[in-house]
Every structure is written in C-alpha cells, then in structure tokens.
Amino acid sequence: MLPFKIIFHPQYDLNLGPHVFPSEKFKLIRDALLAEGIAEPADFLEPQPAPNEDILRVHTPAYVNKLLTDSLTLSERMKLEIPLSEATRNGFWLAAGGSTLAGHKALEDGFAANLSGGFHHACPGHGEGFCMINDVAVAIRSLQAAGKIRTAMTVDTDVHHGNGTAEIFASDPSVFTLSIHQENNYPVPKPPSDEDIGLDDGTRDEEYLRALEKGLLRAFEKMKPDLIFYVGGADPFREDQLGGLALTLQGLQMRDRMVFEHARQRRIPVASTLAGGYARRVADTVRIHVNTILAARDVITQQLPAETK
Ligand SMILES: [Zn+2]
C-alpha cells in the first residue's frame, strides 16, 4: 500500500487510436502499478470531471463554449492536434478534476499523483499541442478559490516549454512557474515563465540535473509555495520521438527524486501530473511514469530531514 493516493479514471483514455500521443498510456501505467505490486486497488481514487465553474477560472467563456458546442474553427482544430470528440472532451475535464483532487490529497498526505494531466500548452483562449484544458492551472485556481492554498509553484520538466501555464500566470504573483525544457523545440515563441531553463539539444543526465538543481534553488529563494504541481513529462528521454534531450531512464528518476527531495526538505506538498511522453516503445513511457511513483514513495517514506530554507 502506498503512503499517498493515486488519481485515475478509465476515461482518461482519449481513444485516439494510431497517433503519436499514446492515449492508452494512462491505463497502462495504472495496470503496471497494480501488476508489480507497487499499488493496490485501495490506493486509487476516481475523480469527477472539473465543474465548468473551475474551467472558467482559467479559460475564456468563448473558448469553453466552442469546446462544449463542438464549434472550433478549422485552424483551432489543427492547432490542437487531436480531435475534439466526446471522449477527448470528457478526458480533459476529468484530467482537470483529477489534478484538482490530487492537489487536495497532496495537502493531506504530502504527495498525490494524477495519472493524467500536465496539459501545459493549453492557453486561456485556445488549446494546442495535444492540450485542450490546462488542468494544472484549473487545479491551482480552484484550490485558491476554495481557500486551501494561497500560493503555488509549477515545476515543469516536460521537454517542451510550458507556454500555456506561463501565459496564464504571467501577471499573477501568487503562482511561480518554472520550466526546464529543450530550447530548440516546440513551442515557438515561449512566453516567459518566472524561471526558464532552456537546454541545448542532446543535454545528458548530469548536465540536466545540475541545471535543474540550480533552477530549483533560485525558485525557492523567490517563493516557498503552499503547494507544488509537478509536471513530470517523460519526453526528455533520449529515445523520445518529439524530444531532443538525452536523458536515461535512471536520469529521469533522479530528476523526479530531486524535485521531491527539495520539496520535502521544505515541507511543501507535491501533486504530480504526467504531461508528454512519446518514446518509440510505449513501455518506456510507462516505465518512466511508474518510476516517478517509486521516487515519490522513496522520498515520502524517508524520515523528514531538518527543514531547509
Ligand atoms: Zn512535451
């Protein structure tokens, strides 16, 4: 049994069929956690779809209305890069509800994982790059509105820059955004996060981890948030089809561990989300996300170290 909750819903699957986005990954991660005895059925919670009231704390009424009435323009559909269907709409509303629930549970238990979410390219008035709804932004605004948190930090380690999240919180001092990504990759342009770490093509484990640690230290100098949302993309992996960094499976797990340890030293709860992952073998993407759960379990069960400022 895990010392925290995992948020999952069978309808996270976006049913995209043959598509570079492996939409069956959500279920495969759940299955692997159970099959390997890492989690038991009682560790899982099913979310409700986020209420439209919460979606509208982030996204414009015009955009939400287009999603609900299936009236995106052709160019908006192309920018989204996945179809707008009952299954995808439902999947994104559930992902936003799941990240919100993960935030609530993280505040109780110190950590929680949503086995979806991290759709960091979704902007207030449009979706793009496989991201319809910015679940992490919806969760943060919902938790703030409920009085559960005042401040939050996003630590986004997906290989792609978190442009949507950066844009949403650009003028909001209550949310600190950190993105570590491949500089020479989608999206272009990259609206500034509070802390941007743009890496060269082919960056390997050691250099990556050094840059991440420096970025985390700079971020924590500026804010000690009430809650961190971790956007733990699997796509900095060296065999990713849409990424150009060169991290190994071990390097990625050290990345997760580093984020969780820095948070733990400062007594800051973490809610984690998946984001991207396009390894040639879906099994590698699944392994990277399973390893994130193992890293969290290791860190959370360690004796609490002396508090770091
Ligand atoms: Zn990505």
Side-chain angles (χ1 to χ4, degrees):
M1 185 151 182
L2 286 167
F4 49 77
K5 292 298 176 195
I6 295 185
I7 318 301
F8 174 79
H9 197 290
Q11 288 166 24
Y12 278 170
D13 191 331
L14 302 174
N15 290 309
L16 297 180
H19 191 287
V20 69
F21 188 98
S23 61
E24 73 280 22
K25 71 176 179 181
F26 309 110
K27 182 179 175 304
L28 295 176
I29 299 163
R30 194 273 315 260
D31 291 351
L33 289 169
L34 288 170
E36 294 173 28
I38 298 165
E40 6 181 291
D43 294 324
F44 290 85
L45 291 176
E46 261 190 24
Q48 298 285 322
N52 289 341
E53 186 191 0
D54 280 354
I55 302 284
L56 288 163
R57 296 182 199 282
V58 170
H59 295 285
T60 63
Y63 174 53
V64 174
N65 190 49
K66 281 182 187 178
L67 294 176
L68 293 175
T69 57
D70 196 9
S71 48
L72 292 178
T73 65
L74 182 59
S75 76
E76 286 168 333
R77 284 174 205 275
M78 289 179 69
K79 212 170 162 84
L80 191 55
E81 294 187 85
I82 51 168
L84 173 58
S85 66
E86 194 62 46
T88 56
R89 197 164 36 218
N90 195 30
F92 282 102
W93 256 254
L94 279 170
S99 290
T100 307
L101 180 56
H104 282 281
K105 298 314 288 183
L107 291 172
E108 290 171 18
D109 299 332
F111 182 85
N114 184 14
L115 292 191
S116 179
F119 296 114
H120 57 166
H121 300 311
C123 293
H126 74 273
E128 62 175 76
F130 316 143
C131 300
M132 191 181 289
I133 294 292
N134 196 310
D135 56 286
V136 165
V138 169
I140 290 172
R141 289 261 162 89
S142 172
L143 288 157
Q144 286 180 323
K148 296 284 179 182
I149 59 168
R150 198 176 60 77
T151 58
M153 181 183 287
T154 60
V155 176
D156 184 339
T157 63
D158 189 275
V159 79
H160 304 102
H161 176 261
N163 58 329
T165 315
E167 184 182 323
I168 289 163
F169 295 117
S171 58
D172 184 345
S174 73
V175 181
F176 190 98
T177 54
L178 180 154
S179 178
I180 180 166
H181 49 267
Q182 182 191 4
E183 186 63 30
N184 181 29
N185 199 330
Y186 168 89
V188 179
K190 298 171 175 55
S193 314
D194 292 302
E195 176 73 33
D196 272 316
I197 307 160
L199 300 170
D200 292 336
D201 298 359
T203 298
R204 291 166 188 266
D205 292 347
E206 204 176 306
E207 195 185 335
Y208 181 99
L209 293 169
R210 250 197 323 264
L212 174 60
E213 181 141 55
K214 276 191 199 160
L216 287 170
L217 291 173
R218 280 195 297 268
F220 288 127
E221 265 174 31
K222 291 177 190 144
M223 183 193 277
K224 187 184 168 190
D226 297 331
L227 177 63
I228 289 173
F229 272 90
Y230 181 50
V231 179
D235 48 13
F237 182 46
R238 62 185 178 186
E239 288 177 41
D240 196 87
Q241 300 173 87
L242 300 184
L245 298 182
L247 272 69
T248 63
L249 292 176
Q250 195 194 9
L252 285 160
Q253 196 171 14
M254 287 166 77
R255 167 199 73 167
D256 298 338
R257 206 184 163 94
M258 179 183 281
V259 173
F260 301 155
E261 280 179 341
H262 274 276
R264 183 100 171 129
Q265 282 161 13
R266 293 167 179 79
R267 316 281 202 275
I268 304 167
V270 177
S272 80
T273 62
L274 299 190
Y278 316 95
R280 283 178 189 85
R281 293 168 1 110
V282 175
D284 285 333
T285 298
V286 170
R287 179 59 39 204
I288 292 163
H289 291 305
V290 167
N291 284 346
T292 302
I293 301 297
L294 291 173
R297 186 186 66 181
D298 282 355
V299 171
I300 209 112
T301 49
Q302 281 169 6
Q303 208 178 0
L304 211 54
E307 191 164 4
T308 307
K309 282 260 174 356

